[in-house]
Amino acid sequence: DAGVIQSPRHEVTEMGQEVTLRCKPISGHDYLFWYRQTMMRGLELLIYFNNNVPIDDSGMPEDRFSAKMPNASFSTLKIQPSEPRDSAVYFCASRQDRGRNTIYFGEGSWLTVV
Amino acid sequence: AQSVTQLGSHVSVSEGALVLLRCNYSSSVPPYLFWYVQYPNQGLQLLLKYTSAATLVKGINGFEAEFKKSETSFHLTKPSAHMRDAAEYFCAVSDVIGGTSYGKLTFGQGTILTVHP
């Protein structure tokens, strides 16, 4: 099992540029989550999907953020335009829809906006 | 809405000493509760979880936690700390859907554990 795979692992971009973060969940998992981690705010849920459908996007900071899940094996989180305050670690996570199963996290995408 | 409070952003212990990381939760319904560990520059790894079965939960690496409903607590303990336990630890609470499933996790602010030789 390859685990949750995220790319890129590290990205440095200039303010105003578009950033796309990618996630491949564990095969067979029905839920996919995007979290953001910062020193100031800790771990925050941005959005989560069930069977490719967004269920709760109340954590998405503003219209500059968007997330899609076109199929069961791929999701993107896009920031356009990016700002320095978006600098954070973005985690993707997934789990099976089997009651009490564990949420597995990817290694994270470390984003720096300068 | 659920919330989690981790008491103490930093905990320092000597190798071989007891580890106690405190977590209190707030939830309008019986929750599921989790402890995750994060090593530097890595993702989060599940240590253990409580899902309304036994109140004393044993996890990986010798950690355990006890769910105490009357105290709304889920403290993490380990009898004897190792150097390799140095990491950041997160307590999390979930909403419960349909009696057995759950959706998102709400995390505490984290506790950094330092282990001295």
Side-chain angles (χ1 to χ4, degrees), chain B residues 3-4 7 10 14 17 23 30 59 62 69 71 74 78-79 83 90 98 101 107 110 115:
Chain B
S3 66
V4 172
L7 301 175
H10 291 80
S14 298
C23 172
K69 183 178 178 181
E71 299 177 8
F74 191 58
K78 182 174 180 177
M83 297 295 289
F90 292 91
S101 186
F107 286 88
V115 182

Side-chain angles (χ1 to χ4, degrees), chain B residues 7-81:
Chain B
L7 301 175
S9 58
H10 291 80
V11 170
S12 181
V13 300
S14 298
E15 194 172 20
L18 171 71
V19 175
L20 171 61
L21 305 182
R22 299 177 188 275
C23 172
N24 287 89
Y25 70 90
S26 173
S27 177
S28 57
V29 296
Y32 290 170
L33 294 158
F34 305 78
W35 276 99
Y36 279 83
V37 60
Q38 185 179 30
Y39 298 101
N41 301 320
Q42 294 187 24
L44 281 78
Q45 180 184 6
L46 181 72
L47 278 176
L48 50 81
K49 59 184 177 182
Y50 166 77
T51 55
S52 72
T55 56
L56 181 62
V57 181
K58 295 187 183 298
I60 62 171
N61 301 339
F63 285 93
E64 63 181 37
E66 186 172 7
F67 172 69
K68 292 187 177 180
K69 183 178 178 181
S70 61
E71 299 177 8
T72 60
S73 69
F74 191 58
H75 302 330
L76 181 71
T77 60
K78 182 174 180 177
S80 177

Side-chain angles (χ1 to χ4, degrees), chain A residues 9 33-34 38 45 50 56 73 86 88 91-92 94 104 106 109:
Chain A
R9 287 296 315 278
F33 306 82
W34 282 102
T38 61
L45 177 69
N50 179 214
D56 183 350
S73 59
D86 301 330
F91 287 104
C92 179
S94 71
Y104 292 91
S109 290

Side-chain angles (χ1 to χ4, degrees), chain A residues 1-3 10 13-14 20 26 31 36 39-41 44 47 56 61 69 74 81 90-92 105-106 112:
Chain A
D1 192 339
H10 298 272
T13 191
E14 292 186 347
T20 299
I26 294 172
Y31 282 86
R36 178 172 68 175
M39 289 291 291
M40 291 298 294
R41 301 175 67 89
E44 305 172 276
I47 185 171
D56 183 350
M69 192 165 186
F74 184 66
Y90 292 82
F91 287 104
C92 179
F105 282 78
T112 302

